[in-house]
Amino acid sequence: MSALGKAVEGLGETVLAARNVAKSYGNIHALKGVNFEVRRGQVTTLFGENGAGKSTLMRILSGVTPPSSGEILLDGVPVTFASSVDARDRGVSIIHQELSLAPNLSVRDNIFMGRELRGPTGVDFAEEERQARALMEELEEDIDPLTPVEELRLGQQQIVEIARALSINARILIMDEPTSALSASEVEVLFKVIRDLKARGVAIVYISHHLEEALQITDHAVVLRDGAMTAAAERRNIDLEWIVRHMVGENFDLGAPPTGYNFGPVALSVRDVSVTDKSGIELVDRLSLDVRAGEVVCIYGLMGAGRTELLEAIAGRQALSGGAIVLEDRDVSRLSIAERIQRGLVLIPEDRQRDGLVQTMSVGTNLSLASIKAFTRGLFTSTAREDALIADSIRRVHIKTGGADLPIGSLSGGNQQKVVIGKMLATLPRVVLLDEPSRGIDIGAKAEVFKLLAERARDGLAVVYSTSEVGECLSIAHRIIVMSRGRIAAEFGSDVTKEKIMAASGEAVVA
């Protein structure tokens, strides 16, 4: 099976449209009379800050939730989707921003879950495996279809999510942040697939906070702001400045390294640390690094450079195969994650949904979870102290929420990220590690996160963050560490150029 096919006629015709669509949740107006259309054989890119209404509009178009008012037109005819399955059966498929895979099931089973292929004697597992393998080849991923999803890295799980959507052979494909966990090479493969799908006549909606990346693939751009459409234009009439101006009203930058103070003593010392995978391959190879109180250090590297493994080893999530982790002159290498948190060493993980949040809990409970000892005495909890901590965290981290009692899933991606950061900062750490802190959040929320980190560095917090985006290196970092194949390939100050960083990582620099 192939998700791709021959070119078709009728390219550019509107196949799916929203007319005066509004959506309210109580007093919150997520969408305010939006008009939006998707064209056959074209990519319509939807830009907007977290909370602008992008995901809400996509959930309506894909049948996940009904609109409060307005109508949806499919091929010019009003339609009501009873569910996402109903929308899928009519040719509308969505790749959600947050992964919706079953980690204990195989790649094959995840791709065909809920629409299993049937044979004379039941589910045809052999045919499912063959089709899953063909999809992996099409996406240029060497993934065995029988591998449990939980054994895959985050980027590979994203590929499985994409493969599941492609397997449906949809007429309309909605991609909500499909590249947030992909490497540069994986993004290129996805863009190749998108171009082939366009030639076949598939209408694509593409949502991404990687603005420059999205410009490579878009044919038509729409900007949402506070639930309303603020701009729409063809690709030839837009650039990065146009997008940012209509998204946030002004050009945003990610700040500069905080100044006006002296660094304190060494807060974190990584000494000859090695991390080995199950097959004995060195993911981190005898790496040493010191970070001082008040210093902001960025760790840059391509996918597989060892960034995540290093941060997880420091935080206690990965076992060391050699070396030591020293926090303020005390070896914490043998301490548990909880014990390291108590001593002031915390990690904000890359996958906030799986590792940073409890989806069944409220905004407030997620914020207070890591600080529970601060307001408990024996078997009793001080509700007043907990409420004060939650209110203080919401204020300090600038979380936009209708209330602390609301479910965490009611927040936008950027505000969920702020909850994870706020939860760990509430423990009053001495060192904070952040793995891809801007993953899946918009330029405005990204600027707020980096501003917050810079403010805390001025207060003496040692900050270490990893990123695969060069622009984020050139923001608040005093020092930039480039990793390659588990080792430090180069070290730079804040005045380094983008080209030097990329060259040191082994990444090709495109003129």
Side-chain angles (χ1 to χ4, degrees), residues 182-195:
L182 302 187
S183 67
S185 60
E186 288 168 336
V187 171
E188 283 303 312
V189 173
L190 176 61
F191 281 5
K192 176 184 173 184
V193 171
I194 289 174
R195 293 184 184 102

Side-chain angles (χ1 to χ4, degrees), residues 16 21 26 31 97 105-106 199 206 244 262 322 357 429 471 486 493 495 500 508:
L16 183 66
V21 165
L31 293 175
Q97 176 180 357
L105 297 182
S106 70
Y206 190 90
V244 174
N262 296 320
L357 299 170
D495 58 348
K500 286 184 178 180

Side-chain angles (χ1 to χ4, degrees), residues 48-247:
E49 293 188 271
N50 289 108
K54 305 185 304 298
S55 293
T56 300
L57 178 59
M58 294 307 102
R59 286 197 294 269
I60 290 172
L61 291 178
S62 60
V64 176
T65 187
S68 299
S69 61
E71 63 179 358
I72 306 300
L73 304 179
L74 183 62
D75 295 321
V77 179
V79 63
T80 300
F81 295 133
S83 65
S84 59
V85 175
D86 183 22
R88 185 190 70 195
D89 291 343
R90 299 187 193 211
V92 182
S93 181
I94 183 169
I95 301 169
H96 292 282
Q97 176 180 357
E98 304 299 348
L99 300 181
S100 56
L101 303 173
N104 60 317
L105 297 182
S106 70
V107 170
R108 176 200 65 193
D109 293 343
N110 269 278
I111 290 175
F112 292 99
M113 185 166 50
R115 49 183 196 84
E116 290 78 8
L117 302 182
R118 298 285 174 178
T121 58
V123 177
D124 191 342
F125 292 112
E127 178 60 18
E128 286 187 354
E129 181 180 345
R130 187 191 70 78
Q131 293 191 19
R133 197 174 299 279
L135 281 165
M136 291 300 105
E137 290 176 0
E138 192 168 7
L139 292 167
E140 298 183 22
E141 280 289 333
D142 185 20
I143 299 175
D144 187 335
L146 301 184
T147 303
V149 162
E150 61 190 355
E151 295 182 8
L152 303 179
R153 61 176 172 78
L154 187 59
Q156 291 175 316
Q157 292 182 27
Q158 187 80 66
I159 292 292
V160 174
E161 191 85 66
I162 292 168
R164 182 165 65 180
L166 292 179
S167 70
I168 297 169
N169 286 320
R171 297 172 56 219
I172 299 144
L173 180 58
I174 299 169
M175 305 177 125
D176 192 352
E177 291 288 346
T179 66
S180 60
L182 302 187
S183 67
S185 60
E186 288 168 336
V187 171
E188 283 303 312
V189 173
L190 176 61
F191 281 5
K192 176 184 173 184
V193 171
I194 289 174
R195 293 184 184 102
D196 288 342
L197 289 169
K198 284 173 54 179
R200 178 187 152 202
V202 176
I204 297 172
V205 182
Y206 190 90
I207 300 175
S208 178
H209 294 310
H210 299 283
L211 307 185
E212 293 177 276
E213 176 188 281
L215 282 175
Q216 298 177 40
I217 203 70
T218 189
D219 296 299
H220 179 71
V222 174
V223 182
L224 284 184
R225 187 177 181 186
D226 296 328
M229 192 170 79
T230 60
E234 302 301 318
R235 172 63 184 91
R236 63 181 177 274
N237 297 321
I238 66 175
D239 56 17
L240 191 61
E241 184 180 349
W242 181 92
I243 298 169
V244 174
R245 184 172 70 252
H246 287 97
M247 276 179 59

Side-chain angles (χ1 to χ4, degrees), residues 212-213 240 254 300 302 468-475 480 482 490 492-511:
E212 293 177 276
E213 176 188 281
L240 191 61
L254 298 180
Y300 176 80
L302 305 178
S468 54
E469 292 192 31
V470 180
E472 292 182 6
C473 297
L474 304 174
S475 56
I480 299 163
V482 180
F492 301 108
S494 59
D495 58 348
V496 68
T497 64
K498 179 187 296 187
E499 290 74 19
K500 286 184 178 180
I501 295 173
M502 294 171 69
S505 71
E507 186 173 357
V509 180
V510 180

Side-chain angles (χ1 to χ4, degrees), residues 310-337:
L310 173 63
L311 295 187
E312 290 191 341
I314 296 172
R317 292 169 59 92
Q318 285 252 30
L320 300 182
S321 56
I325 307 298
V326 178
L327 180 67
E328 295 182 332
D329 294 326
R330 180 162 185 169
D331 192 331
V332 297
S333 305
R334 297 182 182 277
L335 298 186
S336 67
I337 297 173

Side-chain angles (χ1 to χ4, degrees), residues 311-369:
L311 295 187
E312 290 191 341
I314 296 172
R317 292 169 59 92
Q318 285 252 30
L320 300 182
S321 56
I325 307 298
V326 178
L327 180 67
E328 295 182 332
D329 294 326
R330 180 162 185 169
D331 192 331
V332 297
S333 305
R334 297 182 182 277
L335 298 186
S336 67
I337 297 173
E339 290 170 330
R340 296 186 202 201
I341 291 173
Q342 290 174 16
R343 296 192 182 280
L345 175 61
V346 301
L347 169 69
I348 286 83
E350 178 183 15
D351 190 344
R352 61 175 175 260
Q353 293 292 323
R354 184 182 67 183
D355 301 324
L357 299 170
V358 181
Q359 297 297 322
T360 56
M361 291 182 174
S362 67
V363 173
T365 305
N366 269 283
L367 278 167
S368 65
L369 199 57

